[in-house]
């Protein structure tokens, strides 16, 4: 019997040791997916005749506030933002009101997704705390859809605003005053909804509010608006299209950057700007070009040292005279570069860029040959404003080309001749490309611009039609493309954005609802009904 108990005890000790030696983790059970719950609030939610300065909201667990500055929407907006505490994990939120509240007004605090439980980050979705300074809660609603007037996708966090159309209203109010009501699409919605509205007539505006001040700044913000006033109650879901206004032209500064060049910084569109340079009242010759990737003009002049210049800049309503003291500086050293080397697509033009304007082009000192060393006829086209020299010639498939520009083929603004320039490029087989025929149905009016854009929104190909509804895009690189149609109502061959003060909407843009897959050695025929947006 004693041996039996000894064996039993020995086996028990062995199993205990093995169990202790096993490594593992303690299971914590199922993951918490439940959002926090409100236990109480003081004053109670939807209170009337509110005249306090502090609100407290208690929860059943520790919560944290995330992205409160983006998620919280207070409507009507307050000039002095309330203080919301604490900034650390807590079981309550305290709102300290610092602004003078309007009388007989319903206020709404929409916390969006900012209230989350402290451990798992489960959000309390779209919690709203509402109170009224009067003896009733406004309860009318209005639905709004937001899209971009030009881009395929609309940005996040678009503010939707309502301004009371009373005797104090004028269109300049959106630049100076906060709206009566505001809501926001936040980071996931393109459909917004006003709640707790008062009956009345309003101006409806959407703003991508970069400064977060509930006012429209044309320099930074996109805007969309409804031309007519909105009467509430109203069960219509209105659509607003965002656009960036084209700023009026304004020259900002003038500065000398080399011995024969100064730059003029500007805002707006520099097309058709009028510039004159005077020395002691006498007009001087000059050349204008665009500073690459900057809103600046380059003004090239010759042979002026130690003199003061008067520079007149004018466009539309803008007129200003700048003074510039010309200083001793180095001349620009000329450099040339191919816009693209290697594989040249059939839809591309071989282009040479220069950092100094080219004043003379001698094609007799240029030679373009193929892989058999045979001469290839070509013509040149010079874009002075962008300083681009384009070579036009018939491209053959599976061909190799060499371009040679001998000394003196190009002479720049400083009368410097080029050294020998050599460029090589080639073409692929046409079977490496695809063709797309777009057949437009129900075109409302002409002319129209038809563009193919990449996944990044870059324009890959563009055609202009004044009457034809069949558009051919041949020899496209295999890819997925979006089709964009622009009704070019002012016939300037560009998309023209709207203007709020003029109450003018942007030119209409329509996208084909799906991407078009263009494959190598394929022909795609795509009908596009413009009645379907």
């Amino acid at each position: 019997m004693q041996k039996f108990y000894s064996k039993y005890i020995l086996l028990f000790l062995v199993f205990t040791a093995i169990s202790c030696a096993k490594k593992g983790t303690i299971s914590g059970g199922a993951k918490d997916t439940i959002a926090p719950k409100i236990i109480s609030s003081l004053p109670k939610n939807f209170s009337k005749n509110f005249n306090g300065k502090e609100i407290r909201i208690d929860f059943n667990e520790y919560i944290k506030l995330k992205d409160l500055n983006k998620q919280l929407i207070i409507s009507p907006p307050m000039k002095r933002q309330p203080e919301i505490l604490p900034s650390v994990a807590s079981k309550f939120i305290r709102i300290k009101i610092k602004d003078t509240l309007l009388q007989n007004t319903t206020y709404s605090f929409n916390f969006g997704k900012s209230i989350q439980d402290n451990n798992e980050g489960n959000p309390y979705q779209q919690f709203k705390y509402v109170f009224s300074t009067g003896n009733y809660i406004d309860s009318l609603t209005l639905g709004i859809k937001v899209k971009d007037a030009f881009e395929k996708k609309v940005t996040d966090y678009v503010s939707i605003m309502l301004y009371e159309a009373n005797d104090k209203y004028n269109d300049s109010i959106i630049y100076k005053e906060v709206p009566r009501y505001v809501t926001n699409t936040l980071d996931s919605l393109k459909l917004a909804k006003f709640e707790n509205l008062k009956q009345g007539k309003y101006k409806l505006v959407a703003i991508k509010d970069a400064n977060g001040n509930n006012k429209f700044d044309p320099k930074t913000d996109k805007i969309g608006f409804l031309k007519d006033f909105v009467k509430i109650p109203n069960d219509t879901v209105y659509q607003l299209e965002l656009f960036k206004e084209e700023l009026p032209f304004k020259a900002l500064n003038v500065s000398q950057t080399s011995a024969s060049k100064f730059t003029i910084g500007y805002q707006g569109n520099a097309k058709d700007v009028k510039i004159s340079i005077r020395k002691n009242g006498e007009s001087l010759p000059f050349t204008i070009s665009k500073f690459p990737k900057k809103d600046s003009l380059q003004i090239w002049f010759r042979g002026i040292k130690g003199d003061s210049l008067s520079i007149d800049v004018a466009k539309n309503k803008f007129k200003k005279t700048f003074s510039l003291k010309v200083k001793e500086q180095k001349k620009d050293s000329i450099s040339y570069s191919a816009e693209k080397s290697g594989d040249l697509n059939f839809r591309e033009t071989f282009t040479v860029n220069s950092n100094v304007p080219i004043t003379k082009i001698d094609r007799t000192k240029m030679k373009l040959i193929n892989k058999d060393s045979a001469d290839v006829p070509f013509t040149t086209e010079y874009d002075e404003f962008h300083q681009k020299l384009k070579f036009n010639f018939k491209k053959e498939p599976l061909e190799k080309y060499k371009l040679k520009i001998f000394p003196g083929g190009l002479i720049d603004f400083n009368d410097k001749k080029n050294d020998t320039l050599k460029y090589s490029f080639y073409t692929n087989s046409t079977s490496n490309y695809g063709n797309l025929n777009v057949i437009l149905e129900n075109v409302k009016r002409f002319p129209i611009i038809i563009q193919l854009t990449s996944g990044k929104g870059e324009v890959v190909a563009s055609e202009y039609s004044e009457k034809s509804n069949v558009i051919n895009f041949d020899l496209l690189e295999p890819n997925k493309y979006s089709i964009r149609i622009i009704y070019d109502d002012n016939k300037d061959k560009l998309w023209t954005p709207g203007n709020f003060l003029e109450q003018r909407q942007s030119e209409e843009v329509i996208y084909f609802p799906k991407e078009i897959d263009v494959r190598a050695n394929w022909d795609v025929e795509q009908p596009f009904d413009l009645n379907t947006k």
Side-chain angles (χ1 to χ4, degrees):
M1 181 66 68
Q2 187 175 0
K3 288 183 179 179
F4 173 81
Y5 280 116
S6 297
K7 289 181 180 178
Y8 181 84
I9 292 170
L10 181 61
L11 287 170
F12 175 79
L13 292 174
V14 170
F15 281 120
T16 301
I18 292 172
S19 298
C20 291
K22 286 183 178 179
K23 294 182 180 181
T25 56
I26 299 174
S27 173
K31 183 179 178 180
D32 178 17
T33 59
I34 301 175
K37 293 182 179 180
I38 294 175
I39 298 174
S40 63
S41 58
L42 187 68
K44 290 184 178 181
N45 205 353
F46 296 95
S47 291
K48 302 171 186 176
N49 298 309
F50 180 93
N51 60 2
K53 289 293 182 182
E54 187 171 305
I55 300 163
R56 178 176 172 129
I57 305 169
D58 289 280
F59 296 86
N60 66 333
E61 61 178 308
Y62 281 94
I63 58 98
K64 59 186 177 183
L65 297 174
K66 184 177 181 182
D67 295 332
L68 187 67
N69 60 330
K70 286 187 175 182
Q71 293 286 334
L72 177 63
I73 305 165
I74 303 174
S75 186
M78 296 181 176
K79 292 182 180 179
R80 298 184 64 195
Q81 289 298 306
E83 183 180 9
I84 300 179
L85 299 170
S87 57
V88 296
S90 174
K91 283 191 173 184
F92 67 90
I93 292 174
R94 181 179 287 121
I95 303 172
K96 292 185 176 182
I97 296 174
K98 298 184 176 182
D99 201 14
T100 300
L101 300 178
L102 302 172
Q103 294 182 353
N104 299 315
T105 300
T106 299
Y107 282 86
S108 169
F109 287 69
N110 188 334
F111 284 83
K113 297 184 291 185
S114 63
I115 300 174
Q116 302 180 359
D117 74 56
N118 187 52
N119 293 325
E120 300 294 340
N122 299 311
Y124 190 135
Q125 295 278 5
Q126 306 297 326
F127 167 66
K128 287 178 62 178
Y129 183 87
V130 179
F131 65 83
S132 173
T133 57
N135 56 14
Y136 60 90
I137 299 286
D138 292 318
S139 59
L140 298 176
T141 64
L142 184 68
I144 308 296
K145 289 177 66 176
V146 179
K147 70 183 292 287
D148 197 284
F150 186 67
E151 303 294 341
K152 193 172 185 179
K153 295 181 180 179
V154 64
T155 185
D156 295 333
Y157 296 104
V158 177
S159 295
I160 320 297
M161 302 172 175
L162 286 172
Y163 296 84
E164 280 189 291
N166 52 29
D167 55 355
K168 296 181 180 179
Y169 175 84
N170 59 67
D171 284 340
S172 65
I173 197 171
I174 70 169
Y175 305 90
K176 303 173 183 177
E177 302 292 336
V178 297
R180 173 70 179 193
Y181 297 105
V182 63
T183 187
N184 196 285
T185 62
L186 299 181
D187 58 347
S188 58
L189 302 175
K190 300 300 174 278
L191 177 65
K193 187 177 182 180
F194 284 102
E195 296 180 316
N196 305 112
L197 298 178
K198 184 179 181 179
Q199 180 177 344
K201 186 167 69 171
Y202 300 89
K203 185 68 174 182
L204 177 59
V205 175
I207 297 176
K208 174 57 180 175
D209 187 10
N211 296 322
N213 60 359
N214 291 313
K215 298 174 186 177
F216 177 48
D217 183 351
K219 292 182 180 179
T220 57
D221 299 343
K222 283 187 173 184
I223 189 170
F225 64 92
L226 201 67
K227 186 174 182 179
D228 298 323
F229 289 112
V230 173
K231 290 184 179 180
I232 294 173
N234 194 324
D235 58 2
T236 303
V237 177
Y238 293 101
Q239 178 169 280
L240 300 177
E241 299 190 1
L242 289 171
F243 59 87
K244 180 75 169 60
E245 283 190 352
E246 185 176 274
L247 296 174
F249 177 84
K250 181 180 180 181
L252 304 175
N253 53 63
V254 173
S255 60
Q256 186 180 355
T257 54
S258 72
S260 56
K261 180 182 67 179
F262 62 84
T263 61
I264 299 177
Y266 66 88
Q267 70 174 29
N269 188 343
K271 184 181 179 182
D272 300 326
V273 63
K274 293 180 173 60
I275 297 174
S276 65
I277 304 176
R278 291 176 287 112
K279 183 181 73 170
N280 299 325
E282 181 184 350
S283 295
L284 301 177
F286 60 91
T287 295
I288 303 177
S289 66
K290 175 76 169 62
F291 197 102
K293 299 180 181 180
K294 287 187 178 181
D295 288 339
S296 294
L297 297 174
Q298 301 178 115
I299 312 299
W300 303 84
F301 58 91
R302 287 190 178 94
I304 304 171
K305 297 180 180 179
D307 291 312
S308 293
L309 301 179
S310 293
I311 303 153
D312 298 322
V313 184
K315 181 178 178 180
N316 298 332
K317 295 180 180 180
F318 178 84
K319 291 182 180 180
K320 188 172 182 178
T321 298
F322 295 89
S323 296
L324 179 69
K325 178 73 172 180
V326 180
K327 300 176 182 179
E328 288 282 350
Q329 290 194 21
K330 291 183 178 180
K331 287 187 176 182
D332 294 274
S333 298
I334 184 69
S335 64
Y336 297 97
S337 62
E339 196 160 275
K340 185 179 180 182
S341 58
D343 178 14
L344 185 69
N345 296 334
F346 286 92
R347 299 185 67 88
E348 294 176 329
T349 301
F350 184 77
T351 303
V352 174
N353 298 325
S354 65
N355 66 321
V356 176
I358 298 170
T359 56
K360 292 181 182 179
I361 300 170
D362 187 351
R363 286 198 293 112
T364 65
K365 296 181 179 179
M366 303 177 185
K367 194 175 186 64
L368 179 64
I369 60 173
N370 60 19
K371 61 186 175 186
D372 296 323
S373 298
D375 287 339
V376 177
F378 68 92
T379 60
T380 57
E381 177 186 351
Y382 184 58
D383 179 353
E384 182 179 68
F385 189 65
H386 295 98
Q387 297 172 194
K388 295 177 179 291
L389 178 61
K390 300 178 181 180
F391 290 82
N392 300 308
F393 60 95
K394 184 180 178 182
K395 303 179 192 70
E396 300 292 344
L398 294 173
E399 188 60 270
K400 293 181 180 179
Y401 297 95
K402 290 184 179 181
L403 173 65
K404 199 170 187 179
I405 304 176
F406 299 98
L410 304 173
I411 298 178
D412 71 16
F413 186 83
N414 295 316
D415 293 326
K416 297 290 185 182
K417 296 180 179 181
N418 64 290
D419 295 327
T420 301
L421 303 172
K422 297 179 181 179
Y423 303 102
S424 299
F425 45 94
Y426 60 89
T427 57
N428 284 308
S429 170
T430 54
S431 63
N432 290 359
Y433 301 90
N435 302 316
L436 171 62
N437 292 335
V438 180
I439 303 171
L440 301 176
E441 301 171 354
N442 296 310
V443 180
K444 290 187 288 186
R445 57 194 179 273
F446 287 94
I448 55 174
I449 304 169
I450 308 93
Q451 296 178 333
L452 299 184
T453 63
S454 67
K456 296 180 179 179
E458 299 167 337
V459 177
V460 177
S462 181
E463 296 291 340
Y464 194 78
S465 176
E466 296 179 327
K467 60 181 181 180
S468 176
N469 68 325
V470 179
I471 312 299
N472 299 319
F473 293 99
D474 295 332
L475 298 170
L476 292 169
E477 286 191 278
N479 211 332
K480 290 185 178 181
Y481 297 98
S482 293
I483 306 175
R484 177 166 62 206
I485 305 297
I486 301 169
Y487 282 106
D488 186 27
D489 294 328
N490 64 2
K491 302 180 181 180
D492 66 349
K493 299 187 177 181
L494 299 169
W495 176 72
T496 303
N499 185 280
F500 178 77
L501 288 180
E502 297 176 9
Q503 289 294 286
R504 172 172 52 81
Q505 299 288 352
S506 305
E507 288 182 332
E508 186 178 1
V509 174
I510 302 174
Y511 279 90
F512 187 72
K514 298 179 181 179
E515 286 187 320
I516 308 300
D517 190 5
V518 177
R519 301 181 183 182
N521 206 28
W522 275 38
D523 291 330
V524 179
E525 187 173 280
Q526 182 60 62
F528 185 177
D529 186 353
L530 299 190
N531 276 344
T532 305
K533 289 193 177 183

